[in-house]
Structures are given as structure tokens and as C-alpha cells.
Amino acid sequence: MRHVAIVGSGPAGYYTAETLQKADDIAVDVIDRLPVPYGLIRTGVAPDHQSIKAVSRRYEGTALTDNVRFVGHVSVGSDVTIDELVGLYDAVILATGAPNDRPLDIPGADLGGVIGSAAFVGWYNGHPDFADLDPPLGAPGVAVIGNGNVALDVARILAKTPQEFGGSDIVAHARDALAASAVRHIQILGRRGPHQIAMTPKELGELGHLERASPRVDPADLPPEGDDAMLEPGMRKSVTHLRGFAANPVAKPVTIDFDFFAMPVAIEGDGKVQRVIVERTTLDADLRSHGTGETYAVDAGLVISCIGYQTPPIPGVPYEHGRGRFASDDGRILPGLYAVGWARRGPSGTIGTNKPDGARIGEMVLEDIGRGAGKAGRPGLDALLASRDVVPVTFRDWRRIEEAEVAAALDGNPREKFTSIEAMLQATGR
């Protein structure tokens, strides 16, 4: 029997498991720190994007096969080390994603009210690490730093009415806090221009259909319309949305302003954020942004930085600090140790990008391990965890958690997520 451990139960982990489980004589353990599977699908994808979250049904199909096992509530590093896993399994695949925020490296970034998008998204999605975040929503202004889809998600969630969250799985503490929010002006700050955004047409289009919020673009920020012909079709559709926002501003109680050529250079406030100092930029021939020296202030009681993510390092595992990912030779880190998904590539691509990545790494592992080395594998892990009084959460346990969440849902919503590990464990019936 060949034994493979996958650390991380998000898309990259389950796509890799899907390839591996089709092989003969193999047992795959999917290990996760949380008692619940699916990683980014559960705690990263916006709660009002249920069609995207539906991909978890595919992962469930893999999880329910005879040779794949979910090993939840086991922390790699404290409950078991990487070296121990490599000793127990023919291959260990790191599919830990990139759950940490890239730091916002400007003066004042440590003020109260400056929050990374991983924390803010985790808060409204019910991630146990961020359930107690309590973001300040009492001031009218919010600055969202970044020009990608995460910035759009953050702005949209801040702008929605309680009724617009119907059918979503936004958690109760976020639903209540947003309903009482004083936020009226959301400013999306991007260092470059409309032709350099990383925003997709669907996400941009959603902003044009919000009940109480209106997106606005300064026509002066838009390049000549003829220049759009040089863009690839998806980007051209995105820029067409921006042109529509510029041409048809609608008066609504909440505004979402796209502020292009705007580089935050400092955050100021008396113990907590009160304003962002922004420098106007210009682009050179290589489309890199440069400050012009012209600055202005954006009033904000909350700043959310959406400038990217990084994989947390693991002691003893080679790491590329500049790129925020594990150092690997196309997925091979060390003998018996691999990386897949964002842990391998860095935080780029969509959820679907992890499917071919997982298949390729899975096939690589099968080729490398041959018929296996007779390692202890699954029974060895069970014995080690038992000796440390660590009781893993099984997929059957997860189904009990899921059933309890579904039963607690508001009418029309898919679930009401537990936001603490204790509540999750209690729901398993232990």
C-alpha cells in the first residue's frame, strides 16, 4: 500500500486527492488544522457567491471514496511535524494555500482600524481565527486598497443591505454589524489605471446592481476608448463596465468610488485610522507606477488592504520570502515533500486553476513513489496522534457539523456557520 498525506483541505488539496485516489493500492490522508474541510471555499469565497461554493460537492465526492480520509483538527507543526509526516508517508504534499495577508508596508499601517483582507474576509465568512475581529464600521469613510476581485468583494459586502444577503452564508455577527454600519463612502485605491486592473467582468458588473450603492469612476482616469481594442476580451468587458460607471453615475446613499493612479503612502490618526495619505501616480512605458509628488487625504475610519496573500512558512521547509510561497522545483520541495496550488505557485489564478495543478502534482507523486516504500502511513499517524491525545475530526464528524449548520440557517440561506472550533467540536457529538 502506498501512503500519501496532503496538508490542506482546500481546492488544491482535494483536486490532488482526486487524481491520487484513482490509482491502485493507495491511501490518501487529507490533513487540516480546522475541524471543517474545503479551506478557501468555506472561508475565502464571498458568502453571496454560492454558485462558486457549490464546487465543494465535487470535493465531497472525492472525500467519500474508500481510499481518501479527512483528518481534521490536526495542526501540522504542533500536533505532528513535517519531518514526522515525511517519515510516515511515501509523499507529503503541502496544499496550505496562501492564507496570510501580504503586509502593507507604509507608515501608520499598524494603527487600529487597518485590516488585511484575509482577516476581514475571514470575519464575514466565519473563520474561527477572525470571528472576534470586530472591524470599526462607525465612520462614514472606508478605504479599500487594491485593484483585484478581493477589493470588489470587500466593497460589495460593505455596501449591501441586509436583504441583499438573503441566500448567502454570511455569518450572524457580520450580518448584524453590517446592518448597523455607518459606512457611506467606499474608496477603492489602485496605484495604476483602468487598463491594469485584475477585476473580472462578473464581479464588476455586480456593483451596478446594488440596492443602495452606486459605483463611480472619474471619466478623466479612463484612457481613450480606442485603446480598449488592444485588451484581451475579458479585460475589455471589465473596462466597459468602468466606462459605464463613469458615464452613468447614479445618486444612491452609498458610493463606491474607483480612485485610479492613487498610491497610499501613509495612514494617519490619533491611535486609530482617520485618513489615508495618497500620492498621485503616473505610469512609465513599462506600465510601472511612479509617484508624482502630488498628495491628498482620504477620510477613513477603516482601511482594508487587499494587496495579496502569502503562504506561511513552516520550519524546515525551504521558502521564497520574496514570493510568499514554498521553494520548489516545479512542485518538488525535498525528497518526499511537494507543494501544490498557491503554496507552490504563489497567490495567483482562480479556484479552477488548481484543478490542472493538482492533477499534475498528483501524477508526479505517483511516478516518483512507484510501488511505495512500505512506510507506516495511516496507521502510523493514528498511533502517533493517539500517543499525544490528539483526536482527529473525521469526515463523518464534519457531516454532523454541516447538518447542524444547515438546521440553524435563516429561511432561504444555505447554512449558519459555526465560528468557533469549540462549537464545531460540540456539534460532532463528542
Side-chain angles (χ1 to χ4, degrees):
M1 178 68 76
R2 297 174 288 179
H3 295 276
V4 178
I6 298 172
V7 182
S9 69
Y14 270 115
Y15 282 129
T16 307
E18 185 179 277
T19 293
L20 291 169
Q21 63 90 19
K22 295 172 185 173
D24 295 327
D25 298 320
I26 197 162
V28 181
D29 282 350
V30 180
I31 302 170
D32 203 286
R33 177 174 69 89
L34 294 179
V36 293
Y38 308 142
L40 186 73
I41 300 299
R42 180 178 171 94
T43 59
V45 173
D48 55 351
H49 283 174
Q50 288 298 309
S51 60
I52 298 175
K53 288 178 180 268
V55 73
S56 64
R57 293 301 168 207
R58 177 174 184 150
Y59 309 150
E60 182 179 64
T62 298
L64 291 173
T65 54
D66 291 340
N67 51 357
V68 175
R69 180 177 73 153
F70 176 64
V71 186
H73 198 220
V74 171
S75 182
V76 173
S78 54
D79 293 329
V80 60
T81 68
I82 287 290
D83 285 346
E84 287 170 335
L85 289 176
V86 170
L88 288 168
Y89 290 84
D90 294 299
V92 176
I93 305 169
L94 301 180
T96 51
N100 290 11
D101 281 301
R102 227 177 98 204
L104 180 64
D105 193 17
I106 60 174
D110 57 346
L111 282 172
V114 181
I115 297 171
S117 56
F120 188 71
V121 171
W123 170 74
Y124 63 63
N125 261 326
H127 193 298
D129 290 354
F130 305 112
D132 297 329
L133 185 69
D134 194 22
L137 300 170
V142 175
V144 178
I145 302 172
N147 263 185
N149 277 346
V150 176
L152 292 182
D153 283 345
V154 166
R156 188 182 67 255
I157 295 298
L158 284 167
K160 279 195 164 186
T161 63
Q163 293 72 31
E164 286 176 291
F165 287 118
S168 80
D169 64 351
I170 191 167
V171 292
H173 64 238
R175 193 168 56 235
D176 294 344
L178 291 165
S181 165
V183 172
R184 296 297 178 267
H185 309 294
I186 302 161
Q187 201 138 343
I188 301 175
L189 304 170
R191 290 182 298 114
R192 300 194 293 168
H195 276 192
Q196 288 77 46
I197 59 173
M199 299 169 170
T200 50
K202 177 182 180 293
E203 279 67 25
L204 272 168
E206 286 178 287
L207 293 192
H209 301 285
L210 297 173
E211 286 181 20
R212 64 168 184 166
S214 173
R216 303 191 302 190
V217 173
D218 184 345
D221 282 342
L222 292 163
E225 195 162 352
D227 291 0
D228 293 359
M230 305 293 290
L231 301 173
E232 61 89 15
M235 176 67 90
R236 195 156 58 241
K237 287 181 184 175
S238 292
V239 174
T240 298
H241 281 304
L242 295 177
R243 292 192 185 280
F245 300 158
N248 304 293
V250 180
K252 289 187 178 180
V254 177
T255 57
I256 302 172
D257 283 292
F258 287 83
D259 199 354
F260 294 107
F261 307 105
M263 176 171 62
V265 293
I267 299 171
E268 296 180 346
D270 185 12
K272 61 181 181 180
V273 60
Q274 291 171 296
R275 72 194 71 84
V276 181
I277 305 304
V278 179
E279 183 176 5
R280 279 273 166 240
T281 64
T282 185
L283 302 186
D284 63 21
D286 295 320
L287 302 179
R288 290 177 300 208
S289 61
H290 300 274
T292 63
E294 177 193 348
T295 62
Y296 58 97
V298 172
D299 291 335
L302 170 63
V303 174
I304 302 171
S305 172
C306 309
I307 59 171
Y309 302 115
Q310 56 190 18
T311 298
I314 295 176
V317 179
Y319 188 81
E320 292 184 56
H321 286 275
R323 295 185 173 182
R325 66 186 188 186
F326 295 119
S328 74
D329 179 10
D330 203 27
R332 294 182 178 93
I333 302 175
L334 293 168
L337 185 62
Y338 303 79
V340 69
W342 282 9
R344 181 185 78 81
R345 303 191 313 271
S348 63
T350 64
I351 289 166
T353 312
N354 292 299
K355 184 182 177 187
D357 199 25
R360 199 170 61 78
I361 297 300
E363 288 162 2
M364 176 191 293
V365 165
L366 290 172
E367 184 177 333
D368 286 355
I369 66 177
R371 299 314 304 167
K375 291 194 174 183
R378 184 175 290 180
L381 177 66
D382 289 349
L384 183 65
L385 294 177
S387 73
R388 293 170 181 170
D389 295 324
V390 177
V391 181
V393 168
T394 66
F395 202 79
R396 182 176 293 176
D397 292 331
W398 150 241
R399 300 288 287 273
R400 293 193 187 101
I401 296 170
E402 185 179 38
E403 287 169 8
E405 290 183 338
V406 170
L410 297 178
D411 283 349
N413 288 5
R415 67 191 63 79
E416 184 63 63
K417 284 187 277 193
F418 294 114
T419 61
S420 75
I421 288 174
E422 292 75 19
M424 294 172 185
L425 295 177
Q426 192 172 359
T428 66
R430 291 186 183 178

